[in-house]
Amino acid sequence: MPCEWTEKVSLYLDDELSSEEATAVRVHVGTCLPCRTAYNDFVRLRAELKSTPAPPAPMVQYAALHAILGEPAPPWWRRRLTIPAPVFALTVLLALVGGYVLPRITNRTAPTTSQTRQPAMPQAPSKPEPVIDFSRYDHGGRATLVVVKKTVLPATGARS
Amino acid sequence: MPSESEAFTLIFHELFPKLCRFVEGLLNDSGSAPDIAQETLLRLYRFGIERIPPPEIRFWAFRVARNLALNAKARSANRNRLLEALTRLFQPAQANPETELEQADSAALLVRLLQTLPEDQRAALLLREQEEMKYSEIAAVLGVSESKVKVDVFRARQALRTKWHEHHRTTERRKYMN
């Protein structure tokens, strides 16, 4: 019959419990047969796994090392650049803020577009504009409105 | 102060046997384990050890080794599918896996029993038992939460001990019957 403390036994073995919990588990293992069996099995499995499998032969290890160290160094343009995530985020944020704020600041401080595009030109001596005197066409008469009715002609040459 | 290649050599001698052991435990394939360990450390060398904080080099290497091992497993599964089909065709008398397990010695038996576990449980257990990593470190290597590691390690242990006892019971029964 499995005991509900068995998971804690596993945590106890891995030293992942607080000191109070570890003491409680130690006391429990002393009195509970399934937990004591589980603890002994876990310890045995650990010992077996630590000794398994055998390490590689030294020749294999040295051959691998020489193969790696004999590798020519990659050119600088093939090296990858790594930036920590917070630095990358900050850079992107600064770029965005810079792209949004800078044009506004520039617009506020610089003169308006029309002023910049039309620099003040020296005033050339202006010619006198020709003056038309309309009074000579005014003989005191009044305008008469004539209403002309538009006659609608019947459609000729209608399509059959 | 050691040069870059001297520093790398020290790291290599520390990590190479551990990576071989880890990959062999993951794949149950002693042939490809040194190749995968070498490829992992070659990537570390190309990347530059000075670009990784020293305490994290180990985690970096195990993470890369695991990914390479999983890729290699997927590739070999595809490659061997046809070969296995042909082998089955020409070898109708299939060896009984139970009998094979009985014949294996204790260490080999354990490695084979490990293969019956889900991959994430197997990786978590190997990193805990062989590399003595803390749960938080295992979580960083495998890219999962610490609570998942806690559950995976426990389930792996429980499953292994159950299979271990079943295997020994079966062996005893067969001996008695014979």
Side-chain angles (χ1 to χ4, degrees), chain B residues 24-42:
Chain B
E24 195 172 337
L26 273 185
L27 301 182
N28 189 23
D29 181 4
S30 58
S32 61
D35 292 341
I36 291 173
Q38 180 180 334
E39 175 64 24
T40 303
L41 291 166
L42 176 64

Side-chain angles (χ1 to χ4, degrees), chain B:
Chain B
M1 189 162 172
S3 69
E4 192 179 339
S5 63
E6 283 171 347
F8 176 79
T9 305
L10 289 175
I11 291 168
F12 177 90
H13 284 306
E14 188 202 331
L15 286 182
F16 187 80
K18 292 180 175 180
L19 290 172
C20 284
R21 184 169 65 171
F22 175 61
V23 172
E24 195 172 337
L26 273 185
L27 301 182
N28 189 23
D29 181 4
S30 58
S32 61
D35 292 341
I36 291 173
Q38 180 180 334
E39 175 64 24
T40 303
L41 291 166
L42 176 64
R43 289 187 182 198
L44 176 65
Y45 184 63
R46 282 180 183 161
F47 188 76
I49 50 171
E50 74 284 352
R51 292 163 70 187
I52 306 173
E56 290 178 18
I57 289 177
R58 191 164 73 116
F59 309 139
W60 188 98
F62 276 96
R63 189 161 51 236
V64 172
R66 182 199 178 213
N67 291 338
L68 288 174
L70 294 181
N71 291 345
K73 190 175 186 178
R75 269 200 310 273
S76 74
N78 289 336
R79 203 183 310 125
N80 292 340
R81 206 165 289 155
L82 178 64
L83 190 66
E84 281 173 12
L86 287 172
T87 311
R88 269 199 301 274
L89 191 66
F90 290 108
Q91 282 188 337
Q94 179 85 349
N96 186 359
E98 291 290 328
T99 319
E100 281 183 16
L101 274 179
E102 283 171 26
Q103 289 164 354
D105 65 352
S106 175
L109 168 70
L110 193 60
V111 174
R112 293 193 64 171
L113 288 178
L114 267 175
Q115 305 310 309
T116 61
L117 302 178
E119 191 277 327
D120 42 359
Q121 290 184 16
R122 196 183 328 146
L125 186 70
L126 286 173
L127 291 173
R128 173 59 230 167
E129 302 293 39
Q130 294 181 338
E131 305 311 319
E132 298 179 9
M133 286 187 191
K134 291 186 168 299
Y135 287 176
S136 55
E137 295 170 343
I138 297 171
V141 170
L142 302 183
V144 295
S145 68
E146 208 174 316
S147 52
K148 177 167 168 39
V149 171
K150 189 165 80 173
V151 172
D152 279 349
V153 169
F154 171 64
R155 285 186 181 163
R157 277 184 179 142
Q158 280 287 75
L160 265 188
R161 70 186 275 250
T162 308
K163 287 172 196 287
W164 184 273
H165 285 305
E166 273 173 13
H167 167 75
H168 284 293
R169 269 199 299 272
T170 314
T171 313
E172 290 299 316
R173 204 178 305 130
R174 287 194 179 183
K175 275 182 189 169
Y176 180 75
M177 298 284 279
N178 290 336

